[in-house]
Amino acid sequence: MSKRAVLEVIALDAEDAVAAQAGGADRLELVTDIAADGLTPSAATVAAVRAAVSLPLRVMLRLADGFAAGDPDRLARTAHQMRDAGAEEFVLGFLDAGGRVDLDAVERVVGALDGCRWTFHRAIDRAADRDALRKQLDGLPGLDTYLTAGAPGGVADGLPTLLAEARRGREDEPGYQQELLVGGGLRLEQVPTLLAAGIRAFHIGGAARPDGWTGPVSAEAVAQWRRVVDGAADGD
């Protein structure tokens, strides 16, 4: 029997978190400043969300738009602040100017997480070499997920890559054993194809907000995704 598929929802605040939980989300990604594609929220927001819901929560560690790390020491201090506020899981990912993984920055921040689980986010979709990135990160403490659309333009463009990486994961290839969390322009009608390939984790942001990013997460919208994900999974 297939395991229940994970539905992760982007939350900006406690109101979003409560609605996402009510709609059936399994996990939250907490960010601020969505215009910059999601930056690190305040410690107060982390604490408020942690007090409002029981869902697992992954907090973004990203201090500026783009995929450059900036100051790794500042990022490490921020990670400690987020942990003090109640964060136990994280999202991060840094590239250098050539599109290669900034391994030094990643390792320094991961060191501050002290074994906490974390996702390498859609920086992988901008990497010069996805396979090399995965192989370089393989074995880092806590890395259990890649958030990816398979391509910079979104899931529609990246579907062949996602299916190929899912196959490599099923074959236990080094660098491909982490969870494949699909997000980035993901549409409901793409879910059955992804599930059939063995992908069991889905990430939504704008799709959970009928009024766009200026409006809150809708429990009803999340519930619709929950039904589709569960219904498709039941049909495996």
Side-chain angles (χ1 to χ4, degrees), residues 77-171:
R77 291 194 298 271
T78 300
H80 285 299
Q81 292 167 1
M82 297 299 104
R83 292 184 66 194
D84 289 344
E88 298 177 338
E89 302 177 28
F90 295 89
V91 183
L92 60 111
F94 311 114
L95 304 177
D96 66 18
R100 297 174 295 270
V101 63
D102 186 340
L103 191 58
D104 178 66
V106 171
E107 288 180 334
R108 289 168 73 180
V109 175
V110 168
L113 302 186
D114 195 25
C116 292
R117 290 180 292 177
W118 60 279
T119 297
F120 191 94
H121 61 51
R122 286 197 62 202
I124 189 174
D125 293 338
R126 300 286 182 176
D129 186 332
R130 295 171 66 95
D131 181 67
L133 182 148
R134 282 175 168 272
K135 298 295 173 59
Q136 285 181 277
L137 294 178
D138 195 39
L140 282 185
L143 173 60
D144 64 1
T145 303
Y146 281 96
L147 169 60
T148 175
V155 173
D157 295 336
L159 189 58
T161 295
L162 295 171
L163 299 181
E165 291 187 349
R167 175 183 53 77
R168 295 170 81 171
R170 292 195 303 273
E171 295 170 353

Side-chain angles (χ1 to χ4, degrees), residues 174-192:
Y176 290 83
Q177 297 166 356
Q178 293 81 12
E179 181 96 79
L180 201 59
L181 173 64
V182 176
L186 179 64
R187 301 194 304 268
L188 282 167
E189 61 266 26
Q190 294 164 331
V191 170

Side-chain angles (χ1 to χ4, degrees), residues 7 54 67 85 88 93 101 104 149 207 211 236:
L7 179 60
S54 59
F67 298 118
E88 298 177 338
V101 63
D104 178 66
D211 297 324
D236 285 356

